[in-house]
Amino acid sequence: MKRESLPPSASARGTRRRSRRLDRRVWGVVILGVVLVLLICGRFMPGEGTDFSRALLPPGDGGLLGTDHFGRSVAVTVWDAAGGSALAALITAVVTTAIGAGIGVVSTLSNGLSKVSTGLLIATLVVPSMLFTFIVVGILGGGRTAIMVTVALTHWPLAAQLIGPKVREEWASGWVRFDRRLGAGRWQILRWHVLPAVGGRVAAAMAVIFPSAVVHEATTAFLGIGVDPAAVSLGPLIAWGQSDMTVGAWWTLVVPTCALMVLLLPPTILARRLGERPRSL
């Protein structure tokens, strides 16, 4: 007699669904990492000199994506600019997330420090980010470093709001209370329970802050705030592309705009996969 197979249990189906979601997240991280590596590699490629005799040549006559009004290859210039923006945004996201996570952990360990961190968070949120930008640019003298510092000072509350509640939730869990009764210290509990539990929130915070840093850097450069003349950035390329559109050189605007979209879409999609949809960029 043939034995009939039993239908899979609800728990088994739930395990498979969680496994598929985890696989999608892993693939999202891998794809984002590949995109970032390719973009950052362009940052270290040798740049092209100006050749006004080849200015504003269309795609085909001027190479794969044409040339800009300096006679430079648009493909190489945009790759360099996107790589610089990606590298700066990645460093900013790591530093800003570390600041937010540190404040979230410290505020959990002490009620007094929790009140201080809450006051800092409120003070940061009520001050416009552009005001921070003017102050930091005035002190540091402009450049990408000033923009990175501005993003770190204005966006750490995002990381703190994402990571802090998870830290407090894990700190109040039964496993932590059990280990504390057994004599485990605070740093041991942080290393054994809290830090592994907040890994997903840390990745989500970085995925949210990364596009914010890209947009902030591109916006300030587009407006001419804190621009380093020696640096190639997507903001000035888009601004120059707008003026080049008047003579029909559409590629000088379309290509850097598409590059900016390539920088923004993968981390935004990854943030949604991680369960933390960014409210705004």
Side-chain angles (χ1 to χ4, degrees):
M1 183 176 178
K2 187 178 180 180
R3 185 176 179 181
E4 296 181 357
S5 60
L6 296 176
S9 62
S11 60
R13 291 195 297 270
T15 301
R16 285 198 294 269
R17 284 196 296 269
R18 287 192 295 269
S19 178
R20 287 194 294 268
R21 287 197 296 266
L22 181 60
D23 291 341
R24 288 196 295 266
R25 293 175 184 178
V26 171
W27 276 110
V29 173
V30 171
I31 294 173
L32 177 60
V34 171
V35 171
L36 289 179
V37 169
L38 291 176
L39 290 174
I40 292 173
C41 285
R43 182 67 181 88
F44 301 99
M45 292 182 61
E48 291 191 345
T50 58
D51 184 3
F52 292 103
S53 64
R54 293 176 52 83
L56 299 180
L57 292 178
D61 296 337
L64 180 62
L65 298 175
T67 61
D68 60 10
H69 57 277
F70 291 114
R72 303 172 300 184
S73 170
V74 171
V76 175
T77 304
V78 170
W79 193 2
D80 183 13
S85 297
L87 181 60
L90 182 61
I91 296 173
T92 304
V94 172
V95 173
T96 306
T97 303
I99 294 173
I103 292 176
V105 171
V106 169
S107 63
T108 303
L109 301 179
S110 171
N111 290 330
L113 293 176
S114 176
K115 295 179 181 179
V116 173
S117 64
T118 302
L120 287 175
L121 188 146
I122 295 174
T124 304
L125 292 177
V126 298
V127 178
S129 60
M130 291 306 297
L131 179 59
F132 267 115
T133 302
F134 291 135
I135 294 174
V136 174
V137 168
I139 295 174
L140 299 182
R144 275 205 175 103
T145 302
I147 303 304
M148 292 166 64
V149 172
T150 302
V151 173
L153 290 176
T154 56
H155 287 70
W156 69 263
L158 286 174
Q161 289 175 331
L162 286 174
I163 300 170
K166 185 63 177 179
V167 172
R168 288 188 288 272
E169 177 186 345
E170 191 66 22
W171 192 263
S173 64
W175 291 106
V176 170
R177 291 197 301 268
F178 181 75
D179 283 348
R180 293 181 69 178
R181 290 175 184 174
L182 294 178
R186 289 183 175 182
W187 296 111
Q188 290 177 319
I189 293 174
L190 287 174
R191 188 173 66 253
W192 295 344
H193 297 285
V194 177
L195 295 181
V198 300
R201 294 294 182 94
V202 170
M206 290 182 60
V208 171
I209 293 171
F210 180 89
S212 299
V214 172
V215 170
H216 193 87
E217 193 263 348
T219 302
T220 53
F222 179 85
L223 297 175
I225 302 173
V227 177
D228 184 2
V232 180
S233 177
L234 290 176
L237 292 181
I238 294 175
W240 295 335
Q242 283 187 324
S243 61
D244 293 338
M245 283 285 290
T246 58
V247 294
W250 54 267
W251 55 92
T252 60
L253 176 62
V254 172
V255 176
T257 303
C258 291
L260 183 61
M261 292 176 60
V262 169
L263 275 177
L264 296 178
L265 286 178
T268 304
I269 295 173
L270 178 61
R272 296 186 63 180
R273 293 292 187 185
L274 292 170
E276 302 294 343
R277 183 178 180 180
R279 297 180 181 178
S280 64
L281 297 177

